[in-house]
Amino acid sequence: MFGKFYLLILFTLLAVGGCGERIAAPQESTPVHRYSKPQVCDFATSLAQFDVNQPDSKQLRFLNERWRTLQQDEVLRPDETKHGQQLMTALNYHLARDSITKIHEVLEHTVHAYEQIEGLRRFSSNPKEMKVPDSMIRNLRNAVQDCCADALSSNATALLRADNSSGLYAVGRLAYFIERDVNRLLDNELSFARYRNQLQTAAAKLSEAPVAIDLNANWVTCR
C-alpha cells in the first residue's frame, strides 16, 4: 500500500517537473514599418507630378521652398533626405538654365542704361564725379525688377545649396550677386566682356546635368 503511494507521488513530481521545463516555441517577429511623415508624402506626390519635359520654373522654386522646410523641420528619414536631395539637385539644373536666361535679360537692360550714362559722361567736365540722373537708375531698377529680380533671388537660394564645385553653385553665385555686378558694370569696375566670360564659364559647367530623372514617389513609405 505504502509502495503504491510513494510511486504515485514520484510520478506526480515528474509530471509537474516536466511541465516546468517546457520551452515555448519562438514566434515570428512582426515587421515594423516606419511610415513617412504626412508632409513628406505630400511633397513626394507633388514632386512626382512635376513635368520634367516642360519644367515650370515658378513651380520648381516653390518645390525648393517646401523641400527646405522639410529639412528644417527635421521630418525626413536619412534615406529620404539622401534620395530627395538627389532628385532636387537634378531638377535644379532647370533653375540654373532659367537663371542664365534671366541674367542675359538683366545684361540687356544694363547695356541700354550704360550707353545712356556713357553718352552723358562724354559731355561732362568731370566724368568720374558725374551724378547719374535718378530717372535712369529708376528705369533700370524697374526693368530688372519686372523681369528677373525676385526669380533670380529665389533661384540663387536653391542653387547655392549645391556643391560649391558644381555648375549649379557657379550659376547661383552669379544670380546672387547680380545687383552688385550691375553696379560694377555701370561704374566701369567690371567690363561687359569679362562678365560675359564668367557667365559663359558657369553655363558650360551645366553640361554635367543628368539625362533622365525618375520622380516616382517610391522613395517614401506612405499609409
Side-chain angles (χ1 to χ4, degrees):
M1 181 70 179
F2 287 106
K4 291 181 181 180
F5 180 72
Y6 289 133
L7 285 174
L8 181 60
I9 292 175
L10 177 61
F11 282 124
T12 301
L13 290 174
L14 287 174
V16 172
C19 292
E21 293 174 0
R22 289 178 186 173
I23 300 175
Q27 297 180 352
E28 294 185 2
S29 59
T30 304
V32 177
H33 293 288
R34 291 189 60 200
Y35 290 102
S36 303
K37 299 291 185 180
Q39 56 267 51
V40 178
C41 291
D42 290 342
F43 174 80
T45 300
S46 298
L47 197 60
Q49 295 169 350
F50 185 79
D51 188 352
V52 294
N53 297 316
Q54 294 182 325
D56 184 325
S57 296
K58 184 176 181 180
Q59 182 184 2
L60 186 50
R61 283 190 283 272
F62 181 59
L63 286 171
N64 269 280
E65 291 175 8
R66 291 179 62 186
W67 175 246
R68 188 163 57 253
T69 299
L70 292 177
Q71 292 180 307
Q72 291 172 345
D73 292 346
E74 299 182 345
V75 295
L76 294 155
R77 300 187 316 229
D79 59 308
E80 292 172 343
T81 299
K82 181 179 179 180
H83 191 85
Q85 188 58 61
Q86 289 173 345
L87 294 179
M88 294 308 300
T89 297
L91 286 176
N92 281 342
Y93 280 89
H94 295 298
L95 280 190
R97 296 189 183 95
D98 177 67
S99 297
I100 293 291
T101 299
K102 284 181 166 46
I103 291 173
H104 277 297
E105 289 185 55
V106 173
L107 269 182
E108 290 179 11
H109 293 300
T110 306
V111 167
H112 179 67
Y114 180 82
E115 290 173 347
Q116 291 181 320
I117 294 171
E118 284 299 297
L120 293 177
R121 282 176 178 152
R122 281 194 294 269
F123 295 98
S124 173
S125 58
N126 189 355
K128 291 185 179 180
E129 300 297 330
M130 185 197 81
K131 184 180 185 303
V132 178
D134 292 339
S135 59
M136 288 186 180
I137 300 300
R138 183 170 57 252
N139 290 341
L140 174 59
R141 185 183 297 113
N142 290 342
V144 171
Q145 185 65 45
D146 290 344
C147 80
C148 316
D150 290 341
L152 283 175
S153 177
S154 182
N155 286 1
T157 300
L159 297 176
L160 288 175
R161 295 168 66 86
D163 184 88
N164 59 14
S165 64
S166 67
L168 296 179
Y169 187 87
V171 174
R173 275 185 59 85
L174 290 174
Y176 183 81
F177 288 112
I178 188 65
E179 182 178 352
R180 179 203 67 181
D181 291 337
V182 165
N183 289 330
R184 293 177 67 202
L185 289 166
L186 294 177
D187 293 337
N188 287 320
E189 295 176 1
L190 175 66
S191 70
F192 282 90
R194 182 178 178 184
Y195 186 77
R196 288 192 176 97
N197 184 61
Q198 293 176 2
L199 187 57
Q200 184 178 2
T201 300
K205 297 181 71 173
L206 295 179
S207 59
E208 65 200 40
V211 178
I213 309 172
D214 181 8
L215 296 180
N216 288 327
N218 53 11
W219 54 283
V220 293
T221 308
C222 304
R223 295 181 184 275

PDB file of all heavy atoms in Angstrom, residues 189-213:
ATOM      1  N   GLU A 189      33.822  99.297 -63.217  1.00  0.00           N
ATOM      2  CA  GLU A 189      34.710  98.499 -62.367  1.00  0.00           C
ATOM      3  C   GLU A 189      34.804  97.056 -62.891  1.00  0.00           C
ATOM      4  O   GLU A 189      35.689  96.306 -62.485  1.00  0.00           O
ATOM      5  CB  GLU A 189      34.187  98.488 -60.926  1.00  0.00           C
ATOM      6  CG  GLU A 189      34.204  99.858 -60.259  1.00  0.00           C
ATOM      7  CD  GLU A 189      33.591  99.825 -58.873  1.00  0.00           C
ATOM      8  OE1 GLU A 189      33.181  98.725 -58.433  1.00  0.00           O
ATOM      9  OE2 GLU A 189      33.518 100.893 -58.228  1.00  0.00           O
ATOM     10  N   LEU A 190      33.892  96.698 -63.752  1.00  0.00           N
ATOM     11  CA  LEU A 190      33.853  95.368 -64.368  1.00  0.00           C
ATOM     12  C   LEU A 190      33.434  95.551 -65.816  1.00  0.00           C
ATOM     13  O   LEU A 190      32.445  96.233 -66.104  1.00  0.00           O
ATOM     14  CB  LEU A 190      32.856  94.470 -63.618  1.00  0.00           C
ATOM     15  CG  LEU A 190      32.583  93.082 -64.194  1.00  0.00           C
ATOM     16  CD1 LEU A 190      33.857  92.218 -64.099  1.00  0.00           C
ATOM     17  CD2 LEU A 190      31.439  92.399 -63.438  1.00  0.00           C
ATOM     18  N   SER A 191      34.192  94.937 -66.738  1.00  0.00           N
ATOM     19  CA  SER A 191      33.855  95.082 -68.150  1.00  0.00           C
ATOM     20  C   SER A 191      32.766  94.085 -68.538  1.00  0.00           C
ATOM     21  O   SER A 191      32.649  93.000 -67.953  1.00  0.00           O
ATOM     22  CB  SER A 191      35.089  94.855 -69.018  1.00  0.00           C
ATOM     23  OG  SER A 191      35.476  93.490 -68.989  1.00  0.00           O
ATOM     24  N   PHE A 192      31.984  94.441 -69.536  1.00  0.00           N
ATOM     25  CA  PHE A 192      30.941  93.538 -70.012  1.00  0.00           C
ATOM     26  C   PHE A 192      31.553  92.268 -70.605  1.00  0.00           C
ATOM     27  O   PHE A 192      30.995  91.178 -70.453  1.00  0.00           O
ATOM     28  CB  PHE A 192      30.066  94.241 -71.059  1.00  0.00           C
ATOM     29  CG  PHE A 192      29.070  95.190 -70.459  1.00  0.00           C
ATOM     30  CD1 PHE A 192      29.402  96.521 -70.253  1.00  0.00           C
ATOM     31  CD2 PHE A 192      27.807  94.752 -70.083  1.00  0.00           C
ATOM     32  CE1 PHE A 192      28.488  97.409 -69.691  1.00  0.00           C
ATOM     33  CE2 PHE A 192      26.890  95.627 -69.521  1.00  0.00           C
ATOM     34  CZ  PHE A 192      27.232  96.964 -69.327  1.00  0.00           C
ATOM     35  N   ALA A 193      32.699  92.410 -71.251  1.00  0.00           N
ATOM     36  CA  ALA A 193      33.365  91.240 -71.845  1.00  0.00           C
ATOM     37  C   ALA A 193      33.774  90.235 -70.766  1.00  0.00           C
ATOM     38  O   ALA A 193      33.571  89.025 -70.910  1.00  0.00           O
ATOM     39  CB  ALA A 193      34.592  91.686 -72.633  1.00  0.00           C
ATOM     40  N   ARG A 194      34.335  90.756 -69.684  1.00  0.00           N
ATOM     41  CA  ARG A 194      34.760  89.860 -68.597  1.00  0.00           C
ATOM     42  C   ARG A 194      33.553  89.206 -67.933  1.00  0.00           C
ATOM     43  O   ARG A 194      33.587  88.009 -67.602  1.00  0.00           O
ATOM     44  CB  ARG A 194      35.569  90.649 -67.575  1.00  0.00           C
ATOM     45  CG  ARG A 194      36.100  89.777 -66.441  1.00  0.00           C
ATOM     46  CD  ARG A 194      36.944  90.590 -65.479  1.00  0.00           C
ATOM     47  NE  ARG A 194      37.412  89.766 -64.373  1.00  0.00           N
ATOM     48  CZ  ARG A 194      38.104  90.229 -63.338  1.00  0.00           C
ATOM     49  NH1 ARG A 194      38.441  91.520 -63.285  1.00  0.00           N
ATOM     50  NH2 ARG A 194      38.480  89.420 -62.368  1.00  0.00           N
ATOM     51  N   TYR A 195      32.498  89.971 -67.742  1.00  0.00           N
ATOM     52  CA  TYR A 195      31.313  89.396 -67.094  1.00  0.00           C
ATOM     53  C   TYR A 195      30.678  88.322 -67.972  1.00  0.00           C
ATOM     54  O   TYR A 195      30.268  87.269 -67.481  1.00  0.00           O
ATOM     55  CB  TYR A 195      30.294  90.483 -66.782  1.00  0.00           C
ATOM     56  CG  TYR A 195      29.120  89.967 -65.971  1.00  0.00           C
ATOM     57  CD1 TYR A 195      29.265  89.734 -64.607  1.00  0.00           C
ATOM     58  CD2 TYR A 195      27.899  89.666 -66.570  1.00  0.00           C
ATOM     59  CE1 TYR A 195      28.214  89.225 -63.851  1.00  0.00           C
ATOM     60  CE2 TYR A 195      26.845  89.159 -65.827  1.00  0.00           C
ATOM     61  CZ  TYR A 195      27.012  88.948 -64.473  1.00  0.00           C
ATOM     62  OH  TYR A 195      25.973  88.437 -63.737  1.00  0.00           O
ATOM     63  N   ARG A 196      30.592  88.571 -69.275  1.00  0.00           N
ATOM     64  CA  ARG A 196      30.027  87.565 -70.184  1.00  0.00           C
ATOM     65  C   ARG A 196      30.874  86.300 -70.182  1.00  0.00           C
ATOM     66  O   ARG A 196      30.346  85.189 -70.319  1.00  0.00           O
ATOM     67  CB  ARG A 196      29.914  88.139 -71.598  1.00  0.00           C
ATOM     68  CG  ARG A 196      28.804  89.177 -71.760  1.00  0.00           C
ATOM     69  CD  ARG A 196      28.552  89.497 -73.227  1.00  0.00           C
ATOM     70  NE  ARG A 196      27.443  90.419 -73.379  1.00  0.00           N
ATOM     71  CZ  ARG A 196      27.566  91.733 -73.531  1.00  0.00           C
ATOM     72  NH1 ARG A 196      28.781  92.280 -73.543  1.00  0.00           N
ATOM     73  NH2 ARG A 196      26.504  92.495 -73.681  1.00  0.00           N
ATOM     74  N   ASN A 197      32.178  86.456 -70.018  1.00  0.00           N
ATOM     75  CA  ASN A 197      33.062  85.298 -69.940  1.00  0.00           C
ATOM     76  C   ASN A 197      32.770  84.480 -68.681  1.00  0.00           C
ATOM     77  O   ASN A 197      32.748  83.235 -68.717  1.00  0.00           O
ATOM     78  CB  ASN A 197      34.522  85.737 -69.958  1.00  0.00           C
ATOM     79  CG  ASN A 197      35.473  84.557 -69.984  1.00  0.00           C
ATOM     80  OD1 ASN A 197      35.453  83.745 -70.913  1.00  0.00           O
ATOM     81  ND2 ASN A 197      36.325  84.457 -68.973  1.00  0.00           N
ATOM     82  N   GLN A 198      32.535  85.160 -67.564  1.00  0.00           N
ATOM     83  CA  GLN A 198      32.178  84.478 -66.319  1.00  0.00           C
ATOM     84  C   GLN A 198      30.863  83.718 -66.492  1.00  0.00           C
ATOM     85  O   GLN A 198      30.725  82.575 -66.020  1.00  0.00           O
ATOM     86  CB  GLN A 198      32.042  85.488 -65.184  1.00  0.00           C
ATOM     87  CG  GLN A 198      33.346  86.160 -64.768  1.00  0.00           C
ATOM     88  CD  GLN A 198      33.128  87.219 -63.707  1.00  0.00           C
ATOM     89  OE1 GLN A 198      32.014  87.445 -63.239  1.00  0.00           O
ATOM     90  NE2 GLN A 198      34.206  87.887 -63.311  1.00  0.00           N
ATOM     91  N   LEU A 199      29.924  84.344 -67.160  1.00  0.00           N
ATOM     92  CA  LEU A 199      28.619  83.718 -67.381  1.00  0.00           C
ATOM     93  C   LEU A 199      28.748  82.500 -68.288  1.00  0.00           C
ATOM     94  O   LEU A 199      28.139  81.452 -68.039  1.00  0.00           O
ATOM     95  CB  LEU A 199      27.668  84.745 -67.998  1.00  0.00           C
ATOM     96  CG  LEU A 199      26.202  84.349 -68.164  1.00  0.00           C
ATOM     97  CD1 LEU A 199      25.587  83.944 -66.822  1.00  0.00           C
ATOM     98  CD2 LEU A 199      25.423  85.501 -68.782  1.00  0.00           C
ATOM     99  N   GLN A 200      29.575  82.619 -69.317  1.00  0.00           N
ATOM    100  CA  GLN A 200      29.785  81.510 -70.238  1.00  0.00           C
ATOM    101  C   GLN A 200      30.471  80.340 -69.548  1.00  0.00           C
ATOM    102  O   GLN A 200      30.122  79.171 -69.781  1.00  0.00           O
ATOM    103  CB  GLN A 200      30.619  81.984 -71.427  1.00  0.00           C
ATOM    104  CG  GLN A 200      30.822  80.926 -72.510  1.00  0.00           C
ATOM    105  CD  GLN A 200      31.610  81.454 -73.698  1.00  0.00           C
ATOM    106  OE1 GLN A 200      32.039  82.605 -73.700  1.00  0.00           O
ATOM    107  NE2 GLN A 200      31.806  80.628 -74.695  1.00  0.00           N
ATOM    108  N   THR A 201      31.436  80.643 -68.693  1.00  0.00           N
ATOM    109  CA  THR A 201      32.148  79.582 -67.964  1.00  0.00           C
ATOM    110  C   THR A 201      31.204  78.826 -67.037  1.00  0.00           C
ATOM    111  O   THR A 201      31.246  77.588 -66.956  1.00  0.00           O
ATOM    112  CB  THR A 201      33.300  80.197 -67.141  1.00  0.00           C
ATOM    113  OG1 THR A 201      34.207  80.854 -68.022  1.00  0.00           O
ATOM    114  CG2 THR A 201      34.033  79.116 -66.369  1.00  0.00           C
ATOM    115  N   ALA A 202      30.342  79.558 -66.326  1.00  0.00           N
ATOM    116  CA  ALA A 202      29.381  78.911 -65.427  1.00  0.00           C
ATOM    117  C   ALA A 202      28.384  78.069 -66.210  1.00  0.00           C
ATOM    118  O   ALA A 202      28.054  76.944 -65.813  1.00  0.00           O
ATOM    119  CB  ALA A 202      28.652  79.974 -64.612  1.00  0.00           C
ATOM    120  N   ALA A 203      27.902  78.587 -67.333  1.00  0.00           N
ATOM    121  CA  ALA A 203      26.926  77.861 -68.143  1.00  0.00           C
ATOM    122  C   ALA A 203      27.520  76.574 -68.714  1.00  0.00           C
ATOM    123  O   ALA A 203      26.836  75.551 -68.825  1.00  0.00           O
ATOM    124  CB  ALA A 203      26.413  78.747 -69.270  1.00  0.00           C
ATOM    125  N   ALA A 204      28.810  76.610 -69.057  1.00  0.00           N
ATOM    126  CA  ALA A 204      29.465  75.430 -69.628  1.00  0.00           C
ATOM    127  C   ALA A 204      29.514  74.276 -68.631  1.00  0.00           C
ATOM    128  O   ALA A 204      29.509  73.096 -69.022  1.00  0.00           O
ATOM    129  CB  ALA A 204      30.875  75.785 -70.077  1.00  0.00           C
ATOM    130  N   LYS A 205      29.543  74.584 -67.339  1.00  0.00           N
ATOM    131  CA  LYS A 205      29.603  73.540 -66.310  1.00  0.00           C
ATOM    132  C   LYS A 205      28.265  72.822 -66.140  1.00  0.00           C
ATOM    133  O   LYS A 205      28.199  71.796 -65.473  1.00  0.00           O
ATOM    134  CB  LYS A 205      30.048  74.142 -64.980  1.00  0.00           C
ATOM    135  CG  LYS A 205      31.454  74.737 -65.019  1.00  0.00           C
ATOM    136  CD  LYS A 205      31.864  75.302 -63.675  1.00  0.00           C
ATOM    137  CE  LYS A 205      32.126  74.202 -62.664  1.00  0.00           C
ATOM    138  NZ  LYS A 205      32.688  74.729 -61.390  1.00  0.00           N
ATOM    139  N   LEU A 206      27.215  73.358 -66.751  1.00  0.00           N
ATOM    140  CA  LEU A 206      25.904  72.719 -66.626  1.00  0.00           C
ATOM    141  C   LEU A 206      25.754  71.523 -67.548  1.00  0.00           C
ATOM    142  O   LEU A 206      24.729  70.845 -67.524  1.00  0.00           O
ATOM    143  CB  LEU A 206      24.793  73.738 -66.927  1.00  0.00           C
ATOM    144  CG  LEU A 206      24.681  74.898 -65.942  1.00  0.00           C
ATOM    145  CD1 LEU A 206      23.564  75.839 -66.371  1.00  0.00           C
ATOM    146  CD2 LEU A 206      24.431  74.402 -64.531  1.00  0.00           C
ATOM    147  N   SER A 207      26.772  71.237 -68.360  1.00  0.00           N
ATOM    148  CA  SER A 207      26.699  70.070 -69.248  1.00  0.00           C
ATOM    149  C   SER A 207      26.685  68.763 -68.468  1.00  0.00           C
ATOM    150  O   SER A 207      26.386  67.701 -69.001  1.00  0.00           O
ATOM    151  CB  SER A 207      27.892  70.073 -70.205  1.00  0.00           C
ATOM    152  OG  SER A 207      29.110  70.037 -69.476  1.00  0.00           O
ATOM    153  N   GLU A 208      27.001  68.839 -67.158  1.00  0.00           N
ATOM    154  CA  GLU A 208      27.014  67.642 -66.312  1.00  0.00           C
ATOM    155  C   GLU A 208      25.620  67.246 -65.846  1.00  0.00           C
ATOM    156  O   GLU A 208      25.449  66.332 -65.053  1.00  0.00           O
ATOM    157  CB  GLU A 208      27.881  67.917 -65.082  1.00  0.00           C
ATOM    158  CG  GLU A 208      27.315  69.004 -64.185  1.00  0.00           C
ATOM    159  CD  GLU A 208      28.339  69.633 -63.256  1.00  0.00           C
ATOM    160  OE1 GLU A 208      29.468  69.862 -63.670  1.00  0.00           O
ATOM    161  OE2 GLU A 208      27.984  69.874 -62.083  1.00  0.00           O
ATOM    162  N   ALA A 209      24.589  67.920 -66.332  1.00  0.00           N
ATOM    163  CA  ALA A 209      23.221  67.662 -65.892  1.00  0.00           C
ATOM    164  C   ALA A 209      22.804  66.226 -66.213  1.00  0.00           C
ATOM    165  O   ALA A 209      23.150  65.689 -67.260  1.00  0.00           O
ATOM    166  CB  ALA A 209      22.258  68.635 -66.566  1.00  0.00           C
ATOM    167  N   PRO A 210      22.044  65.572 -65.301  1.00  0.00           N
ATOM    168  CA  PRO A 210      21.575  64.207 -65.545  1.00  0.00           C
ATOM    169  C   PRO A 210      20.617  64.156 -66.732  1.00  0.00           C
ATOM    170  O   PRO A 210      19.865  65.093 -66.977  1.00  0.00           O
ATOM    171  CB  PRO A 210      20.865  63.833 -64.240  1.00  0.00           C
ATOM    172  CG  PRO A 210      20.525  65.132 -63.601  1.00  0.00           C
ATOM    173  CD  PRO A 210      21.603  66.093 -64.004  1.00  0.00           C
ATOM    174  N   VAL A 211      20.653  63.051 -67.458  1.00  0.00           N
ATOM    175  CA  VAL A 211      19.835  62.915 -68.661  1.00  0.00           C
ATOM    176  C   VAL A 211      18.383  62.626 -68.309  1.00  0.00           C
ATOM    177  O   VAL A 211      17.461  63.234 -68.849  1.00  0.00           O
ATOM    178  CB  VAL A 211      20.394  61.796 -69.563  1.00  0.00           C
ATOM    179  CG1 VAL A 211      19.510  61.626 -70.794  1.00  0.00           C
ATOM    180  CG2 VAL A 211      21.828  62.110 -69.976  1.00  0.00           C
ATOM    181  N   ALA A 212      18.151  61.663 -67.416  1.00  0.00           N
ATOM    182  CA  ALA A 212      16.785  61.259 -67.063  1.00  0.00           C
ATOM    183  C   ALA A 212      16.587  61.339 -65.559  1.00  0.00           C
ATOM    184  O   ALA A 212      17.515  61.100 -64.777  1.00  0.00           O
ATOM    185  CB  ALA A 212      16.519  59.840 -67.552  1.00  0.00           C
ATOM    186  N   ILE A 213      15.363  61.666 -65.164  1.00  0.00           N
ATOM    187  CA  ILE A 213      15.036  61.792 -63.742  1.00  0.00           C
ATOM    188  C   ILE A 213      13.772  60.989 -63.469  1.00  0.00           C
ATOM    189  O   ILE A 213      12.747  61.195 -64.130  1.00  0.00           O
ATOM    190  CB  ILE A 213      14.796  63.256 -63.339  1.00  0.00           C
ATOM    191  CG1 ILE A 213      15.953  64.150 -63.799  1.00  0.00           C
ATOM    192  CG2 ILE A 213      14.610  63.380 -61.837  1.00  0.00           C
ATOM    193  CD1 ILE A 213      15.694  65.623 -63.608  1.00  0.00           C
TER     194      ILE A 213
END
